[in-house]
Amino acid sequence: MKFLVLGPDRGWHANQLRAAAENAGDSIAFTDYEALSSLVGDGDLLRCDSPAGDLHAFDVVLTRTMPLGTLEQVTFRLSILHALQEAGVRVANPPRALEIAIDKYATTARLQRLGLPVPRTAVSQTRSDAMSAFEQFDGPVVVKPMFGGEGRGVMRIETRELAWTTFTTLQQLGAVIYQQEYIPCNGQDLRLFVAGDLVWAVQRTNPDDWRTNVSRGAVCEQVAVTEAFRELATTVCRSLQLHVAAIDLIQDAAGRIYVLEVNGVPGWKGAQSVIQENLADRIFDSFHASIPVVGS
């Protein structure tokens, strides 16, 4: 099979994917989203301005990242992925899945409709609406950017004064104000990593911070995947049409589980540090498997 990876061609993840492609007997190329282009007229020629060339020549386009851009840039990139999918090229994760997964509001709303437990969440465009929600929560909240990951831009807000200042700044920046009730979890969460129909579970613990990102000092430990976690991962990935994903869960003091986030362009370096199986190999295996994948 011929794979095109939309993402950096160097670094740990790129090296893992190259080695996995070689192990699977596949060819692999890399390009950036900025290199995507199209010529509409006599057909719809989809290209990337790099050695990869004609996008129609690939069996699978693997969306490893989704960089920030203007509204026009992001819309065009997703339109290219939609056109590729319509032309018969397998895109993983597909553009509709990315549109939901990169948008925290869309993801949380979808999870709620699926009947899965999520933290109470308020999404506002004005300071006054955000302050009303903050007061209704009557406790600490976590404010997050709508787009982004790895804990960047995430704040825990406990006082009305800080909430007022934060919401004022976000409104002035033209940002959507996304806040969730803070659920104490002792700096610990559980990440389910999914590749096709395969699921792994990694517990992340940060003794020095309430945020559990590995980039902020959290340590990982592989744990058993229960049937309940497997069913949850299958439900989420089938609904969002995700083939490769990470699903973050937290547990409150009473033992209740909440789905915190779903990542449609996940890294797996932290998980790989405690999992003996080579996850990049399993990702490639999942595309070769004859059984239906989770996102199908």
Side-chain angles (χ1 to χ4, degrees):
M1 297 177 69
K2 295 183 67 176
F3 283 79
L4 175 65
V5 178
L6 285 174
D9 64 353
R10 62 193 65 188
W12 187 88
H13 285 93
N15 292 337
Q16 290 284 302
L17 292 172
R18 279 196 189 91
E22 182 178 352
N23 292 339
D26 297 322
S27 66
I28 189 169
F30 293 79
T31 195
D32 298 322
Y33 279 88
E34 292 83 354
L36 298 178
S37 64
S38 175
L39 179 61
V40 180
D42 187 11
D44 188 2
L45 181 60
L46 305 171
R47 294 184 51 80
C48 53
D49 301 325
S50 73
D54 184 2
L55 296 178
H56 299 274
F58 294 93
D59 298 301
V60 179
V61 172
L62 183 60
T63 54
R64 247 299 297 146
T65 61
M66 176 53 75
L68 294 176
T70 66
L71 178 60
E72 283 188 349
Q73 289 174 319
V74 173
T75 300
F76 174 68
R77 295 166 189 169
L78 291 169
S79 295
I80 289 284
L81 297 182
H82 277 292
L84 269 176
Q85 193 173 39
E86 292 169 4
V89 177
R90 185 171 187 182
V91 181
N93 288 313
R96 181 54 184 154
L98 295 179
E99 289 167 357
I100 297 174
I102 64 177
D103 179 336
K104 289 186 176 65
Y105 165 68
T107 301
T108 302
R110 174 66 67 88
L111 295 172
Q112 172 73 24
R113 290 195 296 272
L114 289 172
L116 297 173
V118 296
R120 288 186 301 161
T121 303
V123 187
S124 314
Q125 297 186 70
T126 66
R127 179 186 61 198
S128 60
D129 285 346
M131 287 301 302
S132 295
F134 175 80
E135 290 165 357
Q136 289 175 11
F137 285 155
D138 192 28
V141 301
V142 176
V143 176
K144 306 176 180 179
M146 284 277 288
F147 306 142
E150 298 184 346
R152 290 186 292 267
V154 176
M155 297 178 58
R156 183 174 63 189
I157 296 178
E158 301 185 11
T159 67
R160 192 178 189 282
E161 292 74 17
L162 182 56
W164 178 273
T165 301
T166 301
F167 299 157
T168 298
T169 301
L170 291 173
Q171 179 178 274
Q172 291 172 343
L173 293 173
V176 173
I177 304 168
Y178 181 97
Q179 56 179 317
Q180 287 185 320
E181 64 175 327
Y182 172 67
I183 299 176
C185 58
N186 296 320
Q188 191 172 85
D189 74 355
L190 185 75
R191 167 160 285 199
L192 303 178
F193 185 81
V194 181
D197 67 323
L198 304 174
V199 184
W200 297 265
V202 174
Q203 183 174 283
R204 301 184 299 182
T205 304
N206 192 339
D208 301 317
D209 199 322
W210 58 274
R211 289 164 290 195
T212 56
N213 309 92
V214 173
S215 61
R216 293 185 176 273
V219 295
C220 298
E221 176 187 1
Q222 185 177 9
V223 297
V225 178
T226 66
E227 189 59 32
F229 288 153
R230 191 179 304 278
E231 290 179 4
L232 186 151
T234 300
T235 297
V236 171
C237 289
R238 281 187 174 161
S239 177
L240 273 66
Q241 299 183 355
L242 294 165
H243 185 85
V244 180
I247 304 166
D248 294 339
L249 313 175
I250 58 172
Q251 186 175 39
D252 67 11
R256 291 183 292 262
I257 297 291
Y258 296 85
V259 185
L260 197 60
E261 291 188 8
V262 178
N263 191 332
V265 285
W268 62 90
K269 189 173 183 179
Q272 186 65 81
S273 69
V274 295
I275 294 175
Q276 290 189 348
E277 291 180 84
N278 186 291
L279 296 179
D281 283 345
R282 299 291 80 79
I283 290 172
F284 275 79
D285 289 346
S286 70
F287 287 109
H288 287 276
S290 58
I291 58 176
V293 298
V294 167
S296 63

